[in-house]
Amino acid sequence: MIRPETALFVFSLLAFQASSVNNVKLLNVRVPNHTVLGRNTKLECIYDLQGEPLYSVKWYKDGKEFFRYLPKNEPKIQVFEKPGIFIDLDKSNSNEVVLKSLVLSSSGIYRCEVSGEAPSFQTVFKDTSLNTVAERPSIDGLQLEYNVGEMVNANCTSSKMTFHTHLIWYINEEQINSTIVHGPYFKIHNTDDELLVTTVLGLSFKVNDSHYRSGHINLKCAAQLESIYLHSDEQIIKFTKHLPTESIMSNTVRLANKIQATSISIQNTPKIILLACVLLICLQNNIHFPISY
Ligand SMILES: *[C@@H]1O[C@H](CO)[C@@H](O)[C@H](O)[C@H]1NC(C)=O
Ligand SMILES: *[C@@H]1O[C@H](CO)[C@@H](O)[C@H](O)[C@H]1NC(C)=O
Ligand SMILES: *[C@@H]1O[C@H](CO)[C@@H](O)[C@H](O)[C@H]1NC(C)=O
Ligand SMILES: *[C@@H]1O[C@H](CO)[C@@H](O)[C@H](O)[C@H]1NC(C)=O
């Protein structure tokens, strides 16, 4: 059995719907929860005109209009430059706006506002927040420990972005700007709707005694985007100086002794012969030369 209260509720709901049959409805404003710095993102505005002709769709960021779609105008789209907003016009229309190459200042409150035609010009809007998060570059290729004489090879890799980024290596907080840095190299990633690129900067150097004496060094890299520096985690690498193992060492010592011994005997052979000869000559002289005063 339907209770009277429920019946009343259903009735009033129907009455409300009947009276607002031509009301423009904004169903949803869809924006990804987290957008990544350097990527593109799609803002969607889902509305139901309920049979009314569309007059306009307007987008605002933090209260300032940046995009306007008027189907009766030519061109239909009008954009207003705002910091942190770069619009992909080819992919934007009455239902969506594609923002290119997001920066941190792209974060904010986005509003979609939809209006029906004259004479009512019913207007509805909805706000949603967009947060651009930064993905830091990462370091790979490192071992935990290096022996003196070994090569340290590492790469600093940026996150996937729609553009190249400037990478910087730091050794012990000091910016490295020399031949031990190589690159940058670019890796292209082709996704369904955007062309992304990662930037890679290499670092290679040979561990020498000065590194060994300091025991360890701190490596870090950063991606520079406009005035922002996104730092990687700091990597600490240790240097050791392993002595040769005992068996290798004793072989080396034995070999060295042998070489030394051989060299002594070779070097001394002529001396012994010379001595013998001198002795022989002396003896011969003593025998054959008469002593005369
Ligand atoms: C995004 O946020 C909404 C509301 O805060 C939440 O319901 C939804 O699960 C989130 N989506 C993702 C993918 O995190
Ligand atoms: C660094 O990146 C370059 C280019 O992608 C690659 O050829 C090299 O093998 C990488 N080195 C390390 C240590 O990962
Ligand atoms: C650092 O690199 C820049 C170019 O990127 C160059 O002009 C400058 O001379 C370098 N400085 C040092 C100290 O190597
Ligand atoms: C050790 O290597 C570093 C980095 O390659 C270099 O700057 C330094 O001059 C080297 N030191 C010696 C003593 O060779």
Side-chain angles (χ1 to χ4, degrees):
M1 275 304 291
I2 299 168
R3 292 189 300 167
E5 301 95 308
T6 314
L8 188 66
F9 175 68
V10 170
F11 174 78
S12 53
L13 198 71
L14 286 173
F16 173 73
Q17 277 193 338
S19 74
S20 63
V21 79
N22 289 325
N23 274 3
V24 174
K25 281 185 182 165
L26 209 154
L27 303 173
N28 206 359
V29 175
R30 234 184 265 156
V31 170
N33 287 14
H34 293 293
T35 55
V36 179
L37 183 84
R39 302 262 187 100
N40 300 344
T41 199
K42 188 160 71 181
L43 313 173
E44 282 180 279
C45 191
I46 300 150
Y47 50 85
D48 184 351
L49 293 166
Q50 310 250 31
E52 289 262 306
L54 177 70
Y55 172 66
S56 69
V57 176
K58 292 175 181 179
W59 283 91
Y60 300 80
K61 175 180 180 278
D62 300 323
K64 297 194 179 85
E65 188 183 356
F66 63 88
F67 179 95
R68 185 184 286 189
Y69 180 94
L70 281 93
K72 297 234 168 99
N73 276 22
E74 205 50 59
K76 294 182 172 65
I77 293 173
Q78 232 184 313
V79 300
F80 309 98
E81 263 185 52
K82 291 287 170 291
I85 296 185
F86 312 99
I87 297 168
D88 188 337
L89 282 176
D90 294 338
K91 291 181 179 157
S92 302
N93 53 43
S94 58
N95 289 104
E96 53 194 52
V97 171
V98 172
L99 300 183
K100 295 188 286 189
S101 306
L102 294 168
V103 289
L104 292 178
S105 61
S106 306
S107 300
I109 304 291
Y110 284 75
R111 167 178 295 185
C112 174
E113 186 190 271
V114 179
S115 301
E117 262 291 10
S120 64
F121 286 115
Q122 291 172 50
T123 298
V124 283
F125 65 85
K126 192 172 191 299
D127 288 340
T128 187
S129 73
L130 180 141
N131 288 301
T132 301
V133 294
E135 282 181 354
R136 303 187 298 160
S138 59
I139 295 175
D140 58 85
L142 280 181
Q143 297 167 211
L144 285 175
E145 211 171 290
Y146 290 86
N147 201 0
V148 171
E150 274 188 294
M151 284 298 292
V152 177
N153 287 308
N155 277 335
C156 175
T157 305
S158 76
S159 62
K160 290 177 186 170
M161 301 192 188
T162 52
F163 48 83
H164 297 166
T165 176
H166 179 58
L167 296 176
I168 305 153
W169 271 108
Y170 297 87
I171 295 184
N172 295 333
E173 302 291 329
E174 201 181 304
Q175 188 173 333
I176 300 304
N177 187 18
S178 70
T179 53
I180 66 169
V181 170
H182 53 92
Y185 312 103
F186 305 105
K187 286 185 190 163
I188 309 293
H189 312 268
N190 227 329
T191 70
D192 290 344
D193 51 15
E194 54 188 348
L195 196 66
L196 298 176
V197 60
T198 53
T199 308
V200 180
L201 191 68
L203 179 76
S204 345
F205 61 93
K206 202 174 201 165
V207 178
N208 60 35
D209 277 320
S210 65
H211 298 128
Y212 166 64
R213 258 179 259 119
S214 62
H216 67 265
I217 61 173
N218 297 354
L219 292 181
K220 197 170 69 180
C221 76
Q224 186 189 358
L225 290 142
E226 298 164 75
S227 57
I228 305 154
Y229 288 82
L230 298 168
H231 289 280
S232 70
D233 280 336
E234 195 165 72
Q235 307 276 321
I236 297 170
I237 54 177
K238 290 205 289 184
F239 302 113
T240 53
K241 198 171 190 174
H242 292 304
L243 292 170
T245 62
E246 207 180 300
S247 64
I248 295 171
M249 201 156 74
S250 57
N251 275 345
T252 314
V253 169
R254 231 179 286 134
L255 194 66
N257 285 345
K258 209 167 158 188
I259 290 166
Q260 210 183 5
T262 317
S263 69
I264 289 168
S265 64
I266 291 166
Q267 276 177 355
N268 287 351
T269 311
K271 284 182 194 162
I272 292 165
I273 293 169
L274 190 68
L275 197 69
C277 289
V278 168
L279 209 65
L280 202 67
I281 290 164
C282 289
L283 286 173
Q284 278 178 342
N285 283 353
N286 278 347
I287 293 163
H288 293 285
F289 287 94
I291 302 157
S292 56
Y293 290 101

